[in-house]
Amino acid sequence: MARTVGIGIQSFDKVRENQYFYIDKTSFIKEWWESGDDVTLITRPRRFGKTLNMSMVEEFFSVDYAGRGDLFEGLSIWEEEKYRKMQGTYPVISLSFASVKERDYQATKSRICQLITDLYIKYSFVRKSDWMTEADKDFFDSVSTDMPEVVATIAIYKLSNYLYRYYGKKVIILLDEYDTPMQEAYVDGFWDELVGFTRSMFNSAFKTNPWLERAIMTGITRVSKESIFSDLNNLKVVTTTSDEYAESFGFTEKEVFNALDEYRLSEKKKEVKCWYDGFIFGSHEDIYNPWSILNYLDTGKLATYWANTSSNSLVGKLLREGNRRIKEKFEILLKGESIQSPIDEQIVYNQLDGNERSVWSLFLASGYLKVLFYESYLDIPEGTQPQYELALTNFEVRLMFQNMISSWFSEVQTDYNDFVQALLLGDKKAMNAYMNRVALNTFSYFDTGKRPSGEEPERFYHGFVLGLIVDLQR
């Protein structure tokens, strides 16, 4: 009998205790631990199992789960005695920025302060220790949702010290979705304010922290080192083009096909591959996004599950406000063809406006594009950047973008459909009349960049062409 599929469950213990469908990813624990890296940043697209894996790591190492080896019995990590002895032996500080999606800096800072305050409440028993000095207690008590920045930026650092003194062992820090506030700050215009606060907090927690054993951060993007990681020379970065942990996030084709067999969907393998395959991590091809696979196993219906789990506000903003070259290349992608561009895996958010390389880099990190081929530095002239051949990841992603672009014209759908008909019939007079009405209603969608419309009047035109391509493909 096929196992129950638990949709949206991000707690490892809940998955294991209820015997929900689970593909063993505990080999990640061994690979990460034996890497010896102090601080590891792993970037993967959303809904690729980052949070569940972080929960798995926490419950394996945390003293809060001492004696819970039953959660790992039958999994690969439990095969070695060395790791069985490590289970439940470290103090772990675990927090997630996934819910930090505020619209201004003060609200974002308050939300982060609330998460840190919750950690201090969780470990409030430490304050009662005999070795806590009055100064320690005063600082402990100063941590609150309205604490000043100077307190907030060193709060994790100080908590590491308290836990080290309590347990006599250095701490493991886990920070999930570290870049969520960064993306919101870029979209809503308070990037510069947030950068300074985040840089100070990360420096104290991950660089100048003598009580840190190891740390993992996860996110969608690798924010540029100059922005928030300038002081972290101990940071190991693992992106989608890296081979490390390639099969730890996402499902391999073998794992997907075995799951389809379990749920008596073997005859659907070709369709599932078309819809959900296409992700490439390092040299590992045929990686599937877990969210869509789980939903398909649960419903047996092909749909845009992964693509619809977010508002896609950032990618929509970049496409709408992108310059002529960005829109022209995206037209090519929508046709099922590939484009070429240099890629910079360090995302510089304040360079996204009109910077073609940064835009495609963000799309690649977010899972919307895949690398078909890339040049080696050894094969190109000195001083030039290697070119990457990029394409939309799969049918699900392509359908998502088609729906997104169609929605831009929803307010003028009747006129738009008439325009398409006039175009096909060669009726130039009708085309001109409809074009004027559509332009009046949709111009602002494609001309909202920093430069005035007089400098880039073609922004609207190329947005409109994207809409034509989508409509004519249907």
Side-chain angles (χ1 to χ4, degrees):
M1 183 177 177
R3 292 167 288 176
T4 300
V5 176
I7 301 297
I9 299 175
Q10 299 179 327
S11 299
F12 181 77
D13 58 340
K14 187 173 181 180
V15 171
R16 295 291 290 164
E17 288 171 351
N18 291 280
Q19 298 182 341
Y20 293 140
F21 176 84
Y22 175 70
I23 292 178
D24 186 1
K25 298 294 179 180
T26 58
S27 59
F28 167 73
I29 296 171
K30 178 181 178 181
E31 185 179 357
W32 171 64
W33 193 258
E34 295 187 356
S35 72
D37 299 318
D38 283 344
V39 183
T40 306
L41 169 61
I42 302 173
T43 66
R44 288 293 184 270
R46 54 189 168 80
R47 301 288 185 173
F48 259 76
K50 298 187 295 293
T51 300
L52 182 59
N53 274 1
M54 291 288 263
S55 174
M56 173 188 74
V57 172
E58 177 186 5
E59 293 174 20
F60 183 80
F61 286 105
S62 176
V63 292
D64 295 338
Y65 289 86
R68 290 304 313 272
D70 58 294
L71 296 174
F72 298 90
E73 289 179 0
L75 302 177
S76 62
I77 193 64
W78 213 243
E79 295 173 1
E80 296 187 41
E81 183 179 359
K82 169 187 173 181
Y83 288 96
R84 291 199 296 271
K85 290 182 178 180
M86 292 174 64
Q87 197 277 320
T89 60
Y90 280 88
V92 175
I93 297 174
S94 178
L95 70 164
S96 171
F97 285 172
S99 62
V100 185
K101 299 181 179 181
E102 314 307 321
R103 291 302 183 90
D104 59 65
Y105 172 65
Q106 289 300 325
T108 298
K109 188 187 74 170
S110 296
R111 186 75 184 90
I112 293 174
C113 289
Q114 179 63 66
L115 294 173
I116 295 173
T117 301
D118 290 343
L119 282 174
Y120 271 70
I121 293 172
K122 175 182 177 180
Y123 293 110
S124 59
F125 59 86
V126 173
R127 189 188 181 284
K128 301 175 183 178
S129 301
D130 295 337
W131 45 261
M132 287 283 282
T133 66
E134 289 303 315
D136 289 331
K137 293 178 181 178
D138 288 343
F139 182 88
F140 208 102
D141 294 338
S142 71
V143 174
S144 64
T145 55
D146 58 352
M147 60 183 149
E149 287 188 22
V150 292
V151 174
T153 54
I154 64 169
I156 296 176
Y157 168 89
K158 296 287 284 186
L159 183 59
S160 301
N161 172 251
Y162 300 148
L163 293 178
Y164 170 75
R165 289 155 68 188
Y166 186 89
Y167 289 105
K169 205 165 188 177
K170 292 184 177 182
V171 303
I172 293 173
I173 299 178
L174 305 176
L175 174 56
D176 192 28
E177 304 291 356
Y178 87 99
D179 60 337
T180 297
M182 301 292 160
Q183 293 196 35
E184 298 298 322
Y186 169 73
V187 172
D188 292 315
F190 57 96
W191 169 262
D192 291 336
E193 293 177 284
L194 186 61
V195 163
F197 173 75
T198 306
R199 184 191 297 119
S200 297
M201 181 171 60
F202 284 4
N203 182 58
S204 65
F206 300 116
K207 172 66 188 301
T208 60
N209 189 345
W211 307 289
L212 176 66
E213 179 66 40
R214 302 274 184 92
I216 302 176
M217 288 187 282
T218 69
I220 295 174
T221 58
R222 174 188 179 181
V223 178
S224 70
K225 186 173 182 179
E226 289 71 21
S227 295
I228 59 174
F229 296 130
S230 57
D231 298 321
L232 297 185
N233 56 12
N234 60 338
L235 180 67
K236 169 70 178 211
V237 181
V238 179
T239 66
T240 56
T241 61
S242 307
D243 280 324
E244 295 98 328
Y245 318 125
E247 297 184 356
S248 298
F249 298 83
F251 295 162
T252 66
E253 187 160 276
K254 181 180 179 181
E255 291 168 341
V256 170
F257 284 2
N258 286 341
L260 293 175
D261 290 339
E262 179 180 345
Y263 289 82
R264 298 181 180 181
L265 295 167
S266 303
E267 73 282 359
K268 299 295 185 179
K269 290 177 181 177
K270 186 176 180 180
E271 294 174 77
V272 169
K273 182 177 179 64
C274 174
W275 272 74
Y276 306 124
D277 184 20
F279 296 91
I280 301 172
F281 298 154
S283 60
H284 296 252
E285 300 181 354
D286 296 320
I287 303 294
Y288 293 65
N289 79 75
W291 181 255
S292 291
I293 295 301
L294 290 175
N295 277 275
Y296 177 71
L297 294 177
D298 186 46
T299 66
K301 298 179 181 179
L302 295 165
T304 53
Y305 298 110
W306 176 75
N308 289 336
T309 55
S310 138
S311 66
N312 300 304
S313 57
L314 180 54
V315 294
K317 170 186 171 69
L318 294 175
L319 278 181
R320 289 194 308 270
E321 300 179 7
N323 58 36
R324 172 179 56 83
R325 292 185 303 276
I326 290 173
K327 289 189 174 72
E328 285 179 339
K329 286 195 172 183
F330 202 76
E331 292 168 20
I332 295 172
L333 292 170
L334 280 176
K335 294 176 184 177
E337 301 172 11
S338 62
I339 62 172
Q340 289 194 340
S341 174
I343 290 296
D344 186 354
E345 292 188 285
Q346 294 193 72
I347 305 299
V348 184
Y349 277 86
N350 55 9
Q351 293 181 7
L352 282 173
D353 292 326
N355 187 315
E356 185 180 337
R357 180 171 67 176
S358 296
V359 169
W360 301 133
S361 300
L362 179 68
F363 276 48
L364 176 62
S366 301
Y368 301 115
L369 296 177
K370 61 182 175 183
V371 176
L372 300 180
F373 173 79
Y374 65 92
E375 296 175 323
S376 167
Y377 277 99
L378 300 176
D379 300 329
I380 61 175
E382 186 176 351
T384 61
Q385 292 292 317
Q387 293 287 316
Y388 286 69
E389 184 179 359
L390 305 168
L392 293 180
T393 308
N394 52 34
F395 180 75
E396 181 184 21
V397 170
R398 183 178 175 185
L399 190 59
M400 180 209 78
F401 279 116
Q402 289 178 345
N403 292 336
M404 176 191 294
I405 293 168
S406 293
S407 70
W408 296 344
F409 299 91
S410 60
E411 294 182 7
V412 290
Q413 194 63 48
T414 301
D415 280 346
Y416 185 67
N417 291 338
D418 289 342
F419 177 86
V420 173
Q421 291 298 318
L423 174 65
L424 295 175
L425 294 173
D427 187 346
K428 295 180 181 179
K429 185 177 180 179
M431 286 171 60
N432 183 63
Y434 296 136
M435 184 73 169
N436 288 337
R437 289 203 296 273
V438 174
L440 288 172
N441 283 278
T442 61
F443 196 97
S444 62
Y445 283 109
F446 309 107
D447 194 32
T448 55
K450 295 179 180 178
R451 285 178 282 186
S453 60
E455 295 183 32
E456 286 195 62
E458 75 277 9
R459 281 192 178 191
F460 163 74
Y461 170 75
H462 287 281
F464 190 78
V465 171
L466 280 178
L468 284 177
I469 289 174
V470 168
D471 201 74
L472 290 172
Q473 285 180 336
R474 292 178 181 274

Coordinates of all heavy atoms in Angstrom, one line a residue, residues 264-314:
R264 N 1.3 3.5 -8.4 CA 0.7 2.9 -9.6 C 0.4 4.0 -10.7 O -0.6 4.0 -11.3 CB -0.6 2.2 -9.2 CG -0.4 1.1 -8.2 CD -1.8 0.4 -7.9 NE -1.6 -0.7 -6.9 CZ -2.5 -1.4 -6.5 NH1 -3.8 -1.2 -6.9 NH2 -2.3 -2.4 -5.6
L265 N 1.5 4.8 -10.9 CA 1.4 5.8 -11.9 C 2.6 5.6 -12.9 O 3.0 6.6 -13.6 CB 1.5 7.2 -11.3 CG 0.3 7.6 -10.4 CD1 0.7 8.8 -9.6 CD2 -0.9 7.9 -11.3
S266 N 3.0 4.4 -13.1 CA 4.2 4.1 -13.9 C 4.0 4.6 -15.3 O 5.0 5.0 -16.0 CB 4.5 2.6 -13.9 OG 4.7 2.1 -12.6
E267 N 2.8 4.5 -15.9 CA 2.6 4.8 -17.3 C 2.6 6.4 -17.5 O 2.6 6.8 -18.6 CB 1.2 4.3 -17.7 CG 0.0 5.1 -17.2 CD -0.4 4.7 -15.7 OE1 0.3 3.8 -15.2 OE2 -1.3 5.3 -15.2
K268 N 2.8 7.1 -16.4 CA 2.8 8.6 -16.5 C 4.2 9.2 -16.5 O 4.4 10.4 -16.5 CB 2.0 9.2 -15.4 CG 0.5 8.8 -15.4 CD -0.2 9.4 -16.6 CE -1.7 9.0 -16.6 NZ -2.4 9.6 -17.7
K269 N 5.2 8.3 -16.5 CA 6.6 8.8 -16.4 C 7.0 9.8 -17.4 O 7.6 10.8 -17.1 CB 7.5 7.6 -16.4 CG 7.4 6.7 -15.1 CD 8.3 5.5 -15.2 CE 8.2 4.6 -14.0 NZ 9.0 3.4 -14.0
K270 N 6.6 9.6 -18.7 CA 7.0 10.5 -19.8 C 6.4 11.9 -19.6 O 7.0 12.9 -19.7 CB 6.6 9.9 -21.1 CG 7.1 10.7 -22.3 CD 6.7 10.0 -23.6 CE 7.2 10.8 -24.8 NZ 6.8 10.1 -26.1
E271 N 5.1 11.9 -19.2 CA 4.4 13.2 -19.0 C 5.0 13.9 -17.8 O 5.2 15.1 -17.8 CB 2.9 12.9 -18.8 CG 2.2 12.4 -20.0 CD 0.8 12.1 -19.6 OE1 -0.1 13.0 -19.6 OE2 0.4 10.9 -19.5
V272 N 5.2 13.2 -16.7 CA 5.8 13.8 -15.5 C 7.2 14.4 -15.8 O 7.5 15.5 -15.3 CB 5.9 12.8 -14.3 CG1 6.7 13.3 -13.2 CG2 4.5 12.4 -13.9
K273 N 8.0 13.7 -16.6 CA 9.3 14.2 -16.9 C 9.2 15.5 -17.7 O 10.0 16.4 -17.5 CB 10.0 13.1 -17.8 CG 11.5 13.5 -18.2 CD 12.1 12.4 -18.9 CE 13.5 12.8 -19.4 NZ 14.4 13.0 -18.2
C274 N 8.3 15.5 -18.7 CA 8.1 16.8 -19.5 C 7.7 17.9 -18.6 O 8.2 19.1 -18.8 CB 7.0 16.5 -20.5 SG 6.6 18.0 -21.5
W275 N 6.8 17.7 -17.6 CA 6.3 18.8 -16.8 C 7.3 19.2 -15.7 O 7.4 20.4 -15.5 CB 5.0 18.3 -16.1 CG 3.8 18.6 -16.9 CD1 3.3 17.9 -18.0 CD2 2.8 19.6 -16.7 NE1 2.2 18.4 -18.5 CE2 1.8 19.5 -17.7 CE3 2.6 20.6 -15.7 CZ2 0.7 20.3 -17.8 CZ3 1.5 21.5 -15.8 CH2 0.6 21.3 -16.8
Y276 N 7.9 18.3 -15.1 CA 8.6 18.6 -13.8 C 10.1 18.4 -13.8 O 10.8 18.8 -12.9 CB 8.0 17.9 -12.6 CG 6.5 18.1 -12.6 CD1 5.6 17.0 -12.6 CD2 6.0 19.4 -12.5 CE1 4.2 17.2 -12.5 CE2 4.6 19.6 -12.4 CZ 3.7 18.5 -12.4 OH 2.4 18.7 -12.3
D277 N 10.7 17.7 -14.8 CA 12.1 17.5 -14.9 C 12.8 18.8 -15.4 O 12.1 19.7 -15.8 CB 12.4 16.3 -15.8 CG 13.9 16.0 -15.9 OD1 14.6 16.4 -15.0 OD2 14.3 15.3 -16.9
G278 N 14.1 18.8 -15.5 CA 14.8 19.9 -16.1 C 15.8 20.6 -15.2 O 16.6 21.4 -15.7
F279 N 15.7 20.5 -13.9 CA 16.6 21.2 -13.0 C 18.0 20.5 -13.1 O 18.1 19.3 -13.1 CB 16.1 21.2 -11.6 CG 14.8 22.0 -11.4 CD1 13.6 21.3 -11.6 CD2 14.8 23.3 -11.2 CE1 12.4 22.0 -11.5 CE2 13.6 24.0 -11.1 CZ 12.4 23.4 -11.2
I280 N 19.0 21.3 -13.1 CA 20.4 20.8 -13.1 C 21.2 21.4 -12.0 O 21.3 22.6 -11.9 CB 21.0 21.1 -14.5 CG1 20.2 20.5 -15.6 CG2 22.4 20.6 -14.6 CD1 20.7 20.9 -17.0
F281 N 21.8 20.6 -11.2 CA 22.6 21.1 -10.1 C 24.0 20.6 -10.3 O 24.3 19.4 -10.2 CB 22.1 20.6 -8.7 CG 20.7 21.1 -8.4 CD1 19.9 20.4 -7.5 CD2 20.3 22.3 -8.9 CE1 18.6 20.9 -7.2 CE2 19.0 22.8 -8.6 CZ 18.2 22.1 -7.7
G282 N 24.9 21.5 -10.6 CA 26.3 21.0 -10.9 C 26.3 20.2 -12.2 O 25.7 20.6 -13.2
S283 N 26.9 19.0 -12.1 CA 26.9 18.1 -13.3 C 25.7 17.1 -13.2 O 25.7 16.2 -14.0 CB 28.2 17.4 -13.4 OG 28.5 16.7 -12.2
H284 N 24.8 17.2 -12.2 CA 23.8 16.3 -12.0 C 22.5 16.8 -12.7 O 21.9 17.8 -12.3 CB 23.5 16.1 -10.5 CG 24.6 15.5 -9.7 ND1 24.6 14.2 -9.3 CD2 25.8 16.1 -9.4 CE1 25.8 14.0 -8.6 NE2 26.5 15.1 -8.7
E285 N 22.1 16.1 -13.7 CA 20.9 16.4 -14.5 C 19.7 15.6 -14.0 O 19.8 14.8 -13.1 CB 21.2 16.1 -16.0 CG 22.3 16.9 -16.6 CD 22.5 16.6 -18.0 OE1 21.8 15.7 -18.6 OE2 23.4 17.3 -18.7
D286 N 18.5 15.9 -14.6 CA 17.3 15.2 -14.3 C 16.9 15.3 -12.8 O 16.6 14.3 -12.2 CB 17.4 13.8 -14.8 CG 17.5 13.7 -16.3 OD1 16.9 14.4 -17.0 OD2 18.3 12.8 -16.7
I287 N 17.0 16.5 -12.3 CA 16.5 16.8 -10.9 C 15.1 17.3 -11.0 O 14.8 18.2 -11.8 CB 17.4 17.8 -10.2 CG1 18.8 17.3 -10.1 CG2 16.9 18.0 -8.8 CD1 19.0 16.0 -9.3
Y288 N 14.2 16.8 -10.2 CA 12.8 17.2 -10.2 C 12.5 18.1 -9.0 O 13.0 17.8 -7.9 CB 11.8 16.0 -10.2 CG 11.9 15.2 -11.5 CD1 13.0 14.5 -11.8 CD2 10.7 15.0 -12.3 CE1 13.0 13.7 -13.0 CE2 10.8 14.3 -13.4 CZ 11.9 13.6 -13.7 OH 11.9 12.8 -14.9
N289 N 11.5 19.0 -9.1 CA 11.2 19.8 -7.9 C 10.2 18.9 -7.0 O 9.2 18.4 -7.5 CB 10.6 21.2 -8.2 CG 9.2 21.1 -8.7 OD1 8.3 21.0 -7.9 ND2 8.9 21.3 -10.0
P290 N 10.5 18.8 -5.8 CA 9.7 17.9 -4.9 C 8.3 18.3 -4.7 O 7.4 17.5 -4.6 CB 10.5 18.0 -3.5 CG 11.9 18.4 -3.9 CD 11.7 19.4 -5.0
W291 N 8.0 19.6 -4.7 CA 6.7 20.1 -4.4 C 5.7 19.6 -5.5 O 4.6 19.2 -5.1 CB 6.7 21.7 -4.3 CG 5.4 22.3 -4.0 CD1 4.5 22.9 -4.9 CD2 4.7 22.3 -2.8 NE1 3.4 23.3 -4.2 CE2 3.5 22.9 -2.9 CE3 5.0 21.8 -1.5 CZ2 2.6 23.1 -1.9 CZ3 4.1 22.0 -0.5 CH2 2.9 22.6 -0.6
S292 N 6.1 19.8 -6.7 CA 5.2 19.3 -7.8 C 5.0 17.8 -7.8 O 3.9 17.3 -8.0 CB 5.7 19.8 -9.1 OG 5.6 21.2 -9.3
I293 N 6.1 17.1 -7.5 CA 6.0 15.6 -7.5 C 5.1 15.2 -6.4 O 4.2 14.3 -6.6 CB 7.4 15.0 -7.3 CG1 8.3 15.3 -8.6 CG2 7.3 13.5 -7.1 CD1 7.7 14.8 -9.9
L294 N 5.2 15.7 -5.2 CA 4.4 15.4 -4.0 C 2.9 15.6 -4.3 O 2.0 14.8 -4.1 CB 4.8 16.1 -2.8 CG 6.1 15.7 -2.2 CD1 6.5 16.6 -1.0 CD2 6.1 14.2 -1.7
N295 N 2.6 16.8 -4.9 CA 1.3 17.2 -5.3 C 0.7 16.2 -6.3 O -0.5 15.9 -6.3 CB 1.2 18.6 -5.7 CG 1.1 19.6 -4.5 OD1 0.0 19.8 -4.0 ND2 2.2 20.1 -4.1
Y296 N 1.5 15.9 -7.3 CA 1.1 15.0 -8.3 C 0.8 13.6 -7.8 O -0.2 13.0 -8.1 CB 2.1 14.9 -9.5 CG 1.7 13.9 -10.5 CD1 0.7 14.2 -11.4 CD2 2.3 12.7 -10.7 CE1 0.2 13.3 -12.4 CE2 1.9 11.8 -11.7 CZ 0.9 12.1 -12.5 OH 0.5 11.2 -13.5
L297 N 1.6 13.1 -6.9 CA 1.4 11.8 -6.3 C 0.1 11.8 -5.5 O -0.6 10.8 -5.4 CB 2.6 11.4 -5.4 CG 3.9 11.2 -6.0 CD1 5.0 10.9 -5.0 CD2 3.9 10.0 -7.0
D298 N -0.2 13.0 -4.9 CA -1.4 13.1 -4.1 C -2.7 13.2 -4.9 O -3.7 12.6 -4.5 CB -1.2 14.3 -3.2 CG -2.4 14.5 -2.2 OD1 -2.7 13.5 -1.5 OD2 -2.9 15.6 -2.0
T299 N -2.6 13.9 -6.0 CA -3.8 14.1 -6.8 C -3.9 13.3 -8.1 O -5.0 13.1 -8.6 CB -3.9 15.6 -7.2 OG1 -2.8 16.0 -8.1 CG2 -3.8 16.5 -6.0
G300 N -2.7 12.9 -8.6 CA -2.7 12.3 -9.9 C -3.0 13.2 -11.1 O -3.2 12.7 -12.2
K301 N -2.9 14.5 -10.8 CA -3.2 15.5 -11.9 C -2.0 16.3 -12.2 O -1.4 16.8 -11.3 CB -4.4 16.3 -11.5 CG -5.7 15.6 -11.3 CD -6.8 16.5 -10.8 CE -8.1 15.7 -10.6 NZ -9.2 16.6 -10.1
L302 N -1.7 16.6 -13.5 CA -0.6 17.4 -13.9 C -1.1 18.9 -13.8 O -2.1 19.3 -14.3 CB -0.2 17.1 -15.3 CG 0.4 15.7 -15.5 CD1 0.5 15.4 -17.0 CD2 1.8 15.7 -14.9
A303 N -0.3 19.7 -13.1 CA -0.7 21.1 -12.9 C 0.5 21.9 -12.5 O 1.6 21.3 -12.2 CB -1.8 21.3 -11.9
T304 N 0.4 23.2 -12.5 CA 1.6 24.1 -12.2 C 1.6 24.3 -10.7 O 1.4 25.4 -10.1 CB 1.4 25.5 -12.9 OG1 0.2 26.0 -12.6 CG2 1.6 25.3 -14.4
Y305 N 2.0 23.2 -10.0 CA 2.0 23.2 -8.5 C 3.1 24.1 -8.0 O 2.9 25.0 -7.2 CB 2.2 21.8 -7.9 CG 1.1 20.9 -8.3 CD1 1.3 19.8 -9.2 CD2 -0.2 21.1 -7.7 CE1 0.2 19.0 -9.5 CE2 -1.3 20.2 -8.0 CZ -1.0 19.1 -8.9 OH -2.1 18.3 -9.2
W306 N 4.4 23.9 -8.4 CA 5.5 24.6 -7.9 C 5.5 26.1 -8.3 O 5.7 27.0 -7.6 CB 6.8 24.0 -8.5 CG 8.1 24.7 -8.1 CD1 8.7 24.7 -6.9 CD2 8.9 25.6 -8.9 NE1 9.8 25.5 -6.9 CE2 9.9 26.0 -8.2 CE3 8.8 25.9 -10.3 CZ2 10.9 26.9 -8.7 CZ3 9.8 26.8 -10.8 CH2 10.8 27.2 -10.0
A307 N 5.1 26.3 -9.6 CA 5.1 27.7 -10.1 C 4.1 28.5 -9.5 O 4.2 29.8 -9.5 CB 4.8 27.6 -11.6
N308 N 3.0 28.0 -8.9 CA 2.0 28.7 -8.2 C 2.1 28.9 -6.7 O 1.2 29.3 -6.1 CB 0.6 28.1 -8.5 CG 0.2 28.2 -10.0 OD1 0.7 29.2 -10.7 ND2 -0.6 27.3 -10.5
T309 N 3.3 28.5 -6.2 CA 3.5 28.6 -4.7 C 4.0 29.9 -4.3 O 4.3 30.1 -3.1 CB 4.4 27.5 -4.2 OG1 5.7 27.6 -5.0 CG2 3.9 26.1 -4.4
S310 N 4.1 30.9 -5.2 CA 4.6 32.2 -4.8 C 4.0 33.2 -5.7 O 3.5 32.9 -6.8 CB 6.1 32.2 -4.9 OG 6.6 33.4 -5.4
S311 N 4.0 34.5 -5.3 CA 3.5 35.6 -6.1 C 4.3 35.9 -7.3 O 3.9 36.6 -8.2 CB 3.3 36.8 -5.2 OG 4.6 37.3 -4.8
N312 N 5.6 35.4 -7.3 CA 6.5 35.7 -8.3 C 6.7 37.2 -8.6 O 6.9 37.6 -9.7 CB 6.1 35.0 -9.6 CG 6.1 33.5 -9.5 OD1 7.0 32.8 -9.1 ND2 4.9 32.9 -9.7
S313 N 6.5 38.0 -7.5 CA 6.5 39.4 -7.7 C 7.8 40.0 -8.2 O 7.9 40.9 -9.0 CB 6.2 40.1 -6.4 OG 7.1 39.7 -5.3
L314 N 8.9 39.4 -7.8 CA 10.2 39.9 -8.2 C 10.5 39.6 -9.7 O 10.9 40.5 -10.4 CB 11.4 39.3 -7.3 CG 12.8 39.7 -7.7 CD1 12.9 41.2 -7.7 CD2 13.8 39.1 -6.7

